[in-house]
Amino acid sequence: MAEKPTYEELEQRVKELEKKVAKRNRAHEALRESEAQYRGIFQSTTDSFLIFDLDGNIVEANPKACKMYGYFHGELTKLSGKDIVHPDYYHLFEKFKRDVQATGEFQAESVDVRKDGTTFNIEVKGTEFDYKGKLHLLAVIRDTTERMRVEEALRIERDNLHNIFESMEDGIYIVNQQYDIQYVNPVLIKDFGPYEGVKCYRYFHDRDEVCPWCKNQDVLTGKTVRWEWYSFKNERTYDLIDTPMTLPDGSIGKLEIFRDITKRKRTEEALRESDELLQAIFESNPSPLVAYDTKGHAQYVNPAFTELFGWSLDELKGRRIPFVPDDQKEITGKKLDEVYSSGKNVQFETKRLTRQGDTIDVIVSGAYIKGLEGEPVQMIANLTDISERKKLEAQLQQAQKMEALGTLGGGVAHDFNNLLMGIQGRTSLMLMDKDSSYPDFEHLKGIEDYVKSAADLTRQLLGFARGGKYEIKTTDINEMIKKSSSMFGRT
């Protein structure tokens, strides 16, 4: 017969049982608290939770899942996975069950269907789950419709940007901070060749180390830099715009736009040479030349102008030239209006004043220079000094007058000489049968003397008409005085 336990042994057993009960109660409380905690997480999480049995039936769903699919809790828990997965993606649900049971986890992207029949993109992650003492499948579902929309928009944007880069006439080049080329568009590939695996300093400069040109571009400053660069590699000039950009890995790189301005630079050089040639022509032009703006202010005068009129460009630039006499202002204004209204060159004779106040006869030839839109932007006036020519013309006119007088004198002398010959002849006839005793003998002889004197005057007129070509002979001054005194005495 077994011995009865002692009081002490019974007391010890009671204490051990109390400890086990307390431990069990604490475990149950911890389990209850844990279940409550997980239930709280299950109910309040922003992700959708669905619990499936191994046959694919939904046995539990959190509020987020009910809202996502558009069902009440009691409705959703009466459905299976086949009821909420789009038919085209149901094979993924079958794979979900197989993979979770085989490997304990699953992850995929799919398309599900709401109660109203609309579809939406999801990302689902699955795992094994002990629910109410049995093995179940837990699916964590996240609506990725907005993310997919954004990704699609970004993809379209990237494609559009890529298409823009590919079709641009300017070169596009993207590089990271390690000088690895990320992208080069066809324009630069045509100019510099393939870029894969080539550092930028090798690609553009044929250098084996980073060149100062690359180092000096600080892409971390957030500033956009612009400058011109001449490529010795292909002997072309580019206008470069360098700006920072965020690369796909999140780092900061730089994007450069290459605009080929070689033709423009050559044109500018040709224009510069042309300007220098025009400047040389203007400077060496022997005629005074002035360029005005549309308000009549002097923009340029050449050295010949300064030499003739006395004003330098520094004295006149931006102001009117005070060299139009008052009596020439009206005609000058009319001619200027004619140039601007007709667009044709004009030429007119006028007078101008020098800085010293002297008057100079000039011929002004005026024309205007057109702008890009065909509008007048400048007036060019060329002034020809004709003062010397005017003097020569005056001398010529005087000579012509004298020549006319000589011609007239010659004609008059011939006619007058013919009259004298008639008088002389008739006087000689009257004296033929007269002697000195005839009462009018002395008068008739006097007529002959007057005729001879008149003939001398005629010869002088003829000499003047011949331009001073006189017959030179010896003259008896005593005889000239005697005849003159005798003639004037009787008179």
Side-chain angles (χ1 to χ4, degrees):
M1 183 175 178
E3 295 182 358
K4 293 182 178 181
T6 63
Y7 177 78
E8 288 79 7
E9 289 176 342
L10 289 174
E11 185 177 22
Q12 182 64 31
R13 289 180 181 179
V14 170
K15 289 179 178 181
E16 289 177 355
L17 288 173
E18 287 177 347
K19 289 180 178 179
K20 289 181 180 181
V21 170
K23 185 176 181 181
R24 186 176 62 190
N25 288 338
R26 286 196 299 272
H28 280 297
E29 182 64 21
L31 180 60
R32 188 187 64 78
E33 291 177 355
S34 177
E35 287 180 351
Q37 182 179 12
Y38 284 118
R39 171 63 62 176
I41 294 173
F42 185 79
Q43 296 294 334
S44 61
T45 182
T46 56
D47 288 328
S48 298
F49 284 91
L50 292 177
I51 299 176
F52 298 88
D53 61 20
L54 297 182
D55 293 325
N57 299 309
I58 301 173
V59 298
E60 187 57 85
N62 71 342
K64 180 68 175 180
C66 295
K67 183 177 180 181
M68 177 183 289
Y69 288 93
Y71 292 97
F72 292 112
H73 181 270
E75 294 176 321
L76 189 56
T77 53
K78 291 179 182 179
L79 303 177
S80 70
K82 190 174 182 179
D83 297 318
I84 62 172
V85 177
H86 190 279
D88 293 342
Y89 292 85
Y90 191 73
H91 64 282
L92 292 177
F93 181 72
E94 296 296 329
K95 187 174 186 299
F96 163 70
K97 293 190 295 182
R98 293 194 303 270
D99 288 356
V100 169
Q101 293 179 73
T103 65
E105 60 182 19
F106 173 82
Q107 181 173 346
E109 291 185 352
S110 180
V111 176
D112 280 5
V113 183
R114 298 186 182 92
K115 181 180 179 180
D116 60 8
T118 59
T119 60
F120 60 102
N121 299 94
I122 66 165
E123 181 183 69
V124 57
K125 294 180 180 180
T127 185
E128 289 184 333
F129 185 68
D130 188 357
Y131 180 69
K132 295 182 178 181
K134 293 184 179 180
L135 182 63
H136 284 73
L137 310 176
L138 174 64
V140 182
I141 303 168
R142 182 169 294 173
D143 186 347
T144 61
T145 303
E146 181 63 20
R147 190 197 75 192
M148 295 287 287
R149 186 190 68 78
V150 172
E151 288 179 352
E152 178 63 15
L154 289 174
R155 184 192 65 78
I156 294 174
E157 184 177 352
R158 284 195 301 269
D159 290 346
N160 289 339
L161 190 61
H162 182 268
N163 292 336
I164 291 173
F165 285 174
E166 291 289 298
S167 61
M168 283 182 67
E169 294 182 0
D170 294 333
I172 299 294
Y173 149 72
I174 300 173
V175 65
N176 64 15
Q177 294 183 45
Q178 288 71 47
Y179 310 106
D180 299 313
I181 300 175
Q182 306 296 297
Y183 171 78
V184 171
N185 74 341
V187 173
L188 287 187
I189 292 176
K190 181 180 178 181
D191 286 353
F192 295 95
Y195 67 93
E196 291 80 1
V198 182
K199 296 286 187 179
C200 65
Y201 45 82
R202 185 67 183 171
Y203 186 67
F204 291 110
H205 307 284
D206 280 335
R207 298 170 65 99
D208 292 326
E209 71 278 351
V210 180
C211 58
W213 180 76
C214 294
K215 287 182 178 179
N216 290 338
Q217 306 312 312
D218 186 0
V219 297
L220 301 178
T221 62
K223 295 179 180 179
T224 297
V225 184
R226 185 171 187 169
W227 73 99
E228 286 186 8
W229 171 61
Y230 177 78
S231 170
F232 290 97
K233 192 171 183 179
N234 62 6
E235 297 181 342
R236 305 190 72 81
T237 303
Y238 295 91
D239 178 27
L240 297 182
I241 299 177
D242 183 3
T243 186
M245 71 169 294
T246 302
L247 300 178
D249 62 1
S251 64
I252 300 297
K254 70 176 178 180
L255 178 146
E256 284 186 343
I257 301 175
F258 285 64
R259 175 162 293 179
D260 189 343
I261 58 172
T262 306
K263 185 180 293 185
R264 191 191 81 189
K265 295 294 287 185
R266 289 172 181 168
T267 301
E268 289 176 353
E269 179 64 20
L271 286 174
R272 185 188 62 78
E273 293 177 355
S274 177
D275 289 343
E276 291 178 353
L277 177 60
L278 287 175
Q279 181 74 15
I281 292 173
F282 289 163
E283 293 290 307
S284 59
N285 188 351
S287 297
L289 186 142
V290 188
Y292 303 94
D293 62 17
T294 54
K295 295 180 180 179
H297 297 151
Q299 301 295 304
Y300 170 80
V301 297
N302 69 344
F305 179 92
T306 301
E307 182 179 353
L308 180 61
F309 292 99
W311 287 289
S312 67
L313 178 60
D314 292 337
E315 294 174 304
L316 295 176
K317 195 165 187 179
R319 58 185 286 251
R320 290 181 177 273
I321 305 174
F323 73 153
V324 182
D326 291 339
D327 61 349
Q328 298 296 313
K329 288 182 178 179
E330 183 177 355
I331 181 64
T332 300
K334 289 181 179 179
K335 292 298 182 180
L336 290 176
D337 292 340
E338 183 180 340
V339 171
Y340 284 116
S341 61
S342 68
K344 297 180 180 178
N345 300 349
V346 297
Q347 187 176 83
F348 62 101
E349 186 176 318
T350 182
K351 297 180 183 295
R352 290 294 182 263
L353 298 172
T354 67
R355 186 177 182 181
Q356 292 74 28
D358 299 326
T359 301
I360 299 177
D361 293 294
V362 295
I363 291 178
V364 177
S365 300
Y368 74 74
I369 298 174
K370 297 179 181 179
L372 296 177
E373 304 297 329
E375 76 286 3
V377 294
Q378 259 190 340
M379 164 79 76
I380 296 293
N382 196 82
L383 300 97
T384 304
D385 181 5
I386 59 172
S387 299
E388 190 63 31
R389 194 188 79 184
K390 296 288 283 187
K391 292 178 182 178
L392 292 175
E393 287 177 352
Q395 292 175 2
L396 177 61
Q397 289 176 357
Q398 184 64 28
Q400 288 173 340
K401 288 179 182 179
M402 296 304 293
E403 183 179 359
L405 286 174
T407 301
L408 176 61
V412 171
H414 278 292
D415 292 342
F416 187 63
N417 193 58
N418 290 335
L419 292 172
L420 291 176
M421 292 302 101
I423 296 170
Q424 176 69 41
R426 288 180 180 273
T427 303
S428 297
L429 289 174
M430 292 175 68
L431 288 172
M432 285 180 64
D433 56 353
K434 305 284 191 304
D435 57 21
S436 59
S437 63
Y438 185 73
D440 294 325
F441 183 81
E442 289 298 326
H443 291 295
L444 293 174
K445 291 296 288 184
I447 290 173
E448 283 189 334
D449 291 338
Y450 288 144
V451 169
K452 289 179 180 179
S453 296
D456 289 338
L457 290 176
T458 302
R459 283 193 295 272
Q460 292 179 26
L461 283 173
L462 289 173
F464 173 77
R466 290 194 295 267
K469 296 179 180 179
Y470 303 102
E471 181 182 354
I472 302 174
K473 64 180 181 179
T474 305
T475 301
D476 185 347
I477 300 299
N478 291 328
E479 182 66 22
M480 183 184 297
I481 294 173
K482 181 179 178 182
K483 288 181 180 180
S484 298
S485 62
S486 176
M487 179 180 66
F488 285 107
R490 289 191 296 272
T491 305

